[in-house]
Structures are given as structure tokens and as C-alpha cells.
Amino acid sequence: MSQTVNERTQGNGTGTNGHSKTMIQSHAPATGELLGEVPVMGADEVRAAVARARAAQQAWAALPLEERCERVLRYKDAIVERADEVVDLLAKECGKPRHEALAHEVMIVADIAAYFTKVAPHALAPREIPLHMLKHRKSVLHYTPRGVVGVISPWNFPFQLPLRDVIMALIAGNAAVLKPSEVTPLIALKAKQIWDEAGLPADLFQVVTGYGATGAALIDSGIQLLVFTGGVATGKRVAAACGERLIPCVMELGGKAPFIACADTDIERTARGIVYGGFANSGQVCIAIERVYAHREIHDRLLTRVVELTKELKMGDPSTDWVDIGAIIFPQQMDIADKHIQDAVAKGARLETGGKRKPGPGQFYEPTVLSGCNHSMSVMTAEIFGPVIPFMSVASDEEAIALANESHLGLNAYVFSGDRGHGRRVAERVEAGSVLVNDVLLNGGMPEAPFGGIKQSGFGRVMSDDSLREMCDVRHVNEERMATPVDPFWFPYTEKSYKLFRKGLGVLFGGGSVLDRLKSLF
Ligand code: NAD
């Protein structure tokens, strides 16, 4: 058990922890209530789970795609039927508001299942690729399941993120073994329980619980693809472990989303977008707004409105009240917020609102807005993953773009402008996997579009038809369209055939017009 993970989970809840190396206790971050405990699974158990998944995958892959889709839809129906159960647990174990549990987790999972079962027959159908030169041959790409897909996931969207990858893996004909975050294992087990109780093949989708070592064991257990979502530091270790074993992997890592507010933007909508995009799930969102670059012409008005709206937010226990802001997952996340806020204030930033924990049971941190920030402050450069929105005034869009791109991360970015064309032109210059114009967070629930980062935010993509195909091995089958009695590429190599090729090179690829090149033949 690594020290970091140990420290982190020991702090989760009331402080009265009962963690041992064999069991993990899950506490509600809003109250400290003990919700349950799960085993820490060792390497042998993980290997056995993967072996069972592999055996189940054979029969699953042999089913026609339409039948696999029909079963995945049965899972979706069961999830929708039991949505309130899932929402209740998300509000408890994750401390997130019930609206977010429903809209950001359950609804997105249902949509992903509905969307990918609809498009899979087309997306995974054999595809002919036209050959531009070798017209006598025909090439077709076939998408075949990889085998067992490993999924390692974080705690901030403990239902949506893993099930997104599991569902896509299953539709593509794979088995899936999920290692959920040690902080939110009960949600993953609820997803598994719904799968089993819907009468679906138990071994095909399995959950292995534990700390990082259990995740490391999953990578070492003979999986064919890993989809990892988590922090940059862990991602580096996980990518290295995959590289060591030559396992293809998708890395969905941290973010530091910039928000560019242009001079012509509508203040009210922009302010509401910032407050929602920065404080949903208490800012514990990889695509949360983590830094605002506001044009100086509107900076003060925008800041004033953001502060007003922030003060209106209602914070509390989401499992007993209708709140906008829920709990923080564990105390270390609040320490991180404190550290960056203190650094910013020490370097001249102004604390407009928030900036402290709420006393009493549970872990709550006031939504915080800072102004007068700049890139010498860690609050503008390091991922915070908490309810903190730092503002910086800029003289031009050029300056905002340069600052937005001055980051080691590049997951999401946002541009707000009253002129759609202008917003788009700015967006096209921001270095990020996705840039939204005049909206926030929305691409997390856009299954058609590829989701993922550049720079240290990771590589590979989830969602989109391309990512569904990435769940497969691509088999290129090339066959003849017509018989060729003599093949000029084959033996014997003669002077005559060499000269023919030499002429061919000039005609096909030489300079000048096609006519000139053809003339050179005679
Ligand atoms: P984390 O990196 O601490 O843990 C992620 C998962 O990796 C957990 O299940 C953990 O047990 C496991 N793990 C730890 N060490 C491992 C090892 N050596 N081998 C295999 N698995 C190991 O991340 P977290 O704190 O749970 O989540 C927060 C981070 O996730 C943030 O940085 C956030 O930006 C990022 N995130 C990214 C996305 C995205 O789509 N890009 C989405 C959500 C969260």
C-alpha cells in the first residue's frame, strides 16, 4: 500500500479509520458515516478474475454484434430502472449533489449505451479502404475484439467514467475488468450488482477492488488493452508499466482548463458558465474551469457577477438536502486548495469569496474566487481539483491565448464571445483536446466526439466511433480483384525489369506535367 493512498484514505470520513491491508472502508465525505467495506484484492485474485473474464469473452465475441448490443441495452434499462439507488449511493459515497449524480453520471451512462449500441453495427462493420495505386487488389479492415480490457478509474465520476469504458469494451466484443478507485469502490460494486441482477454473464464484467497495487496487478495479468483515468503522476507509472508489457493504453489524465472571456461576451451568461464550470462537483472535475483570463474591458463586471453568483450557492450534505455544492472527497483535496490559495494571496492575489473549510462533520470547502492572479502563482499553473476559480485580467485575446497555452496540461478549454466566428477563431488556437465556445463541461457527455487530452493530459481518446474501433484489433485483409499471371515485383530481378521500374518512377512521381512525364517514356 503506497503511503499517499494510505494517508488519503485514512483521512476519509471522521478520522476514525479502521483500514487494514486486507479491507478498505468507504466513508461518506459529507458525514463521515461508514458505508461499507471491500476487500483489497491481491495479484492472484486479479489474475483469476482476468482468466475468468477471458473464458467468458470467447462466447461473448462469438455472438452477433446485434445480440451483444441487445444485452448491453438490457443493462442500460436496468440502470435506468434503478437510477435512484445509484443516485443515492453517489450522493453518499462521493458527496455529489443529486442533480449531478443523475445528469453527469447515470444519464450519461444511459446515453453512452444507447448511442454506441446504435452506431456499433456501422462503426464496427468491415470497411473497404480504396487503394490509390494497386487497383488490382482490394483491402478491407475488420474490427475484431481485443480480448480483456482493463479499466482503472478515479473517484470523481465513479459511475460514469468506468462504465463508459466498460460498455464500449463490451459492445466491441471484449470482456472488461474494472479496478475502481479505492475511495469509491461501492459505486463500482453497485454497477456490477446491477449487471449481475440483469441476468448478464457474471464473468464478462468484473470488478477488482483495492489500492494502486491491485491496479498494477491488473496491468500484469494478461489484459489486451488498458483504459486509465487518473492523475498525471500515476499515469506516468501506469504508462511505463504498460510499455514494459507492450500493452496498448489510453491515458486520460489531469487538466487545468483555461477560460477565455472576450471583451464582447455577454456578462450574465459568461458569469453563470464560469460558476457552473468551476464549481460543479466542487471543482473535482478534470475539465473544470481552473483559470479565467478575462479581457480588461469586462473583467471587473464579470468578476463582480461571478462573486455574487458564488455567494448564492447552497452547500451541504447532498443525501439529505437539495444543494448546489456537495462535499470534498477527502481532506487532502482541501489541503491542496489551501496551499494554492495561500500561495496566491501571499503573492498579491485578492480573496473575493470563500477560501476556507466549513467546520463541523464532513469535508466541505467554500467555493472560492480569487482576483489579481498571474502565472507566478501555482493557483494558475497546477491542477487544483477543488472549488477555486482564479481570475486574471488580460489586455487582449492574443495575451489570453498565449497564457492559456502556457501549461503542461491540455485537456479542455473554453472561449466565451458574443461573436461566434470570433470565438471559433480563438478556440482554434488554444492547445487542448477539446475547446468549447460559449458552453462548459458539455463534451463530457457528447459520445460522438473524441474525449481526451494533449501534452501531459494524456494520449488516446475515449468516446467517438474511432474510440469504439480502438477497443478492437484492426485486421487488414488484402485480396486480389483480378488474377495477375506475371507479377513485376517478384523474382527474377533483371536489367530489363529494373529499367522499367526506373521509367515508372519518373512517370509516376517525377516533376513537371503528367504529359511531359508520359512523353519521357518515348
Ligand atoms: P489517481 O491517479 O490517484 O488514481 C487513479 C486510479 O489509479 C485509482 O483507481 C488508483 O487506485 C489507481 N492506481 C494508483 N496507482 C496505481 C498503479 N501504480 N498502477 C495501477 N493503478 C494505480 O487519481 P484520482 O485521485 O483517483 O483522480 C483524480 C485525477 O484524475 C485528477 O488528476 C483528474 O484530473 C484525473 N481525471 C482525469 C479525467 C480525464 O478524463 N482526463 C477524468 C477524471 C479524472
Side-chain angles (χ1 to χ4, degrees):
M1 194 185 330
S2 86
Q3 190 60 24
T4 320
V5 166
N6 192 8
E7 279 171 357
R8 163 213 275 189
T9 46
Q10 277 185 350
N12 193 3
T14 55
T16 54
N17 75 81
H19 298 284
S20 73
K21 288 197 175 173
T22 53
M23 296 302 283
I24 296 173
Q25 293 187 338
S26 177
H27 291 93
T31 59
E33 178 196 350
L34 176 62
L35 301 174
E37 49 179 34
V38 301
V40 176
M41 293 170 74
D44 289 346
E45 288 163 285
V46 174
R47 208 166 295 124
V50 171
R52 287 196 303 278
R54 189 177 314 292
Q57 189 261 340
Q58 306 289 319
W60 180 250
L63 289 176
L65 176 61
E66 286 69 18
E67 276 189 43
R68 293 203 300 262
C69 289
E70 182 270 316
R71 283 165 211 207
V72 169
L73 286 174
R74 204 193 306 162
Y75 186 39
K76 179 211 58 153
D77 292 348
I79 288 171
V80 172
E81 182 98 349
R82 298 174 68 171
D84 296 326
E85 236 176 279
V86 177
V87 166
D88 284 349
L89 189 55
L90 279 162
K92 280 207 161 194
E93 194 179 35
C94 206
K96 68 172 63 191
R98 297 171 62 81
H99 285 77
E100 292 176 12
L102 187 65
H104 298 177
E105 305 249 20
V106 178
M107 213 177 255
I108 290 183
V109 168
D111 184 42
I112 282 171
Y115 174 77
F116 285 109
T117 50
K118 192 172 82 185
V119 299
H122 176 70
L124 299 180
R127 272 210 298 181
E128 183 175 345
I129 42 170
L131 301 178
H132 77 288
M133 185 87 84
L134 304 170
K135 296 291 186 193
H136 63 300
R137 308 282 309 175
K138 173 179 170 179
S139 275
V140 178
L141 301 184
H142 296 263
Y143 298 96
T144 56
R146 287 183 185 264
V148 181
V149 174
V151 176
I152 299 181
S153 58
W155 46 262
N156 63 331
F157 288 89
F159 193 72
Q160 189 246 110
L161 296 178
L163 284 194
R164 170 195 69 196
D165 305 329
V166 166
I167 285 171
M168 289 178 72
L170 294 173
I171 291 173
N174 303 288
V177 178
L178 162 64
K179 206 303 272 178
S181 168
E182 55 274 30
V183 187
T184 48
L186 300 182
I187 303 280
L189 291 174
K190 174 63 71 182
K192 167 68 172 153
Q193 184 194 5
I194 297 174
W195 171 268
D196 290 347
E197 290 174 7
L200 294 157
D203 287 344
L204 194 66
F205 164 33
Q206 294 183 61
V207 175
V208 291
T209 48
Y211 298 101
T214 307
L218 179 58
I219 299 168
D220 199 31
S221 61
I223 56 172
Q224 276 68 51
L225 172 74
L226 178 75
V227 186
F228 173 82
T229 307
V232 172
T234 316
K236 287 180 183 174
R237 285 197 295 276
V238 166
C242 289
E244 194 72 28
R245 293 156 185 81
L246 289 177
I247 299 169
C249 56
V250 176
M251 288 286 136
E252 292 290 335
L253 309 179
K256 184 73 190 167
F259 184 106
I260 298 177
C262 301
D264 62 357
T265 196
D266 174 78
I267 297 291
E268 184 63 21
R269 179 169 166 80
T270 308
R272 288 186 178 278
I274 291 172
V275 171
Y276 172 64
F279 296 138
N281 202 22
S282 297
Q284 303 168 118
V285 183
C286 57
I287 54 175
I289 296 163
E290 288 235 350
R291 48 198 172 119
V292 174
Y293 302 104
H295 195 285
R296 64 183 173 200
E297 281 177 27
I298 49 134
H299 172 276
D300 291 358
R301 278 181 294 142
L302 183 62
L303 176 66
T304 303
R305 190 65 187 127
V306 165
V307 172
E308 281 168 8
L309 290 169
T310 302
K311 288 180 176 165
E312 288 172 12
L313 296 171
K314 186 175 169 192
M315 185 166 74
D317 179 357
S319 50
T320 55
D321 203 356
W322 297 109
V323 295
D324 305 307
I325 306 288
I328 299 286
I329 195 79
F330 43 72
Q332 284 76 6
Q333 286 300 127
M334 300 194 287
D335 297 343
I336 293 169
D338 275 342
K339 187 181 84 179
H340 293 302
I341 292 169
Q342 279 158 20
D343 171 77
V345 171
K347 288 175 179 159
R350 192 180 135 95
L351 185 60
E352 299 284 345
T353 184
K356 55 183 188 306
R357 309 163 191 229
K358 191 179 120 193
Q363 293 134 205
F364 293 92
Y365 203 93
E366 290 180 357
T368 301
V369 180
L370 290 160
S371 62
C373 298
N374 61 54
H375 276 219
S376 74
M377 303 167 185
S378 61
V379 79
M380 294 295 283
T381 57
E383 185 184 44
I384 301 169
F385 223 57
V388 183
I389 302 180
F391 264 71
M392 178 169 177
S393 175
V394 291
S396 64
D397 293 342
E398 286 303 315
E399 187 188 358
I401 294 166
L403 288 164
N405 291 343
E406 196 182 286
S407 174
H408 64 294
L409 298 169
L411 190 56
N412 250 41
Y414 306 100
V415 180
F416 271 51
S417 166
D419 173 346
R420 231 175 270 160
H422 177 71
R424 187 188 318 124
R425 285 188 291 280
V426 172
E428 284 168 2
R429 295 177 56 201
V430 180
E431 296 166 0
S434 301
V435 190
L436 271 61
V437 179
N438 293 349
D439 216 321
V440 294
L441 308 186
L442 208 57
N443 60 318
M446 218 177 262
E448 301 86 345
F451 183 95
I454 59 171
K455 304 184 188 176
Q456 291 191 23
S457 288
F459 49 80
R461 293 291 180 268
V462 291
M463 302 211 279
S464 77
D465 296 9
D466 281 342
S467 304
L468 185 64
R469 286 188 279 270
E470 272 299 303
M471 293 282 179
C472 298
D473 285 324
V474 182
R475 192 164 301 155
H476 170 207
V477 176
N478 178 265
E479 62 182 54
E480 61 183 11
R481 283 189 198 279
M482 62 183 88
T484 44
V486 182
D487 198 307
F489 293 103
W490 294 10
F491 299 132
Y493 295 151
T494 63
E495 186 182 354
K496 191 174 161 205
S497 66
Y498 180 83
K499 283 185 174 157
L500 198 68
F501 272 117
R502 185 62 191 85
K503 277 198 172 165
L505 177 72
V507 170
L508 290 169
F509 304 113
S513 72
V514 178
L515 199 64
D516 287 344
R517 284 188 263 142
L518 281 171
K519 275 189 202 154
S520 73
L521 274 177
F522 306 103

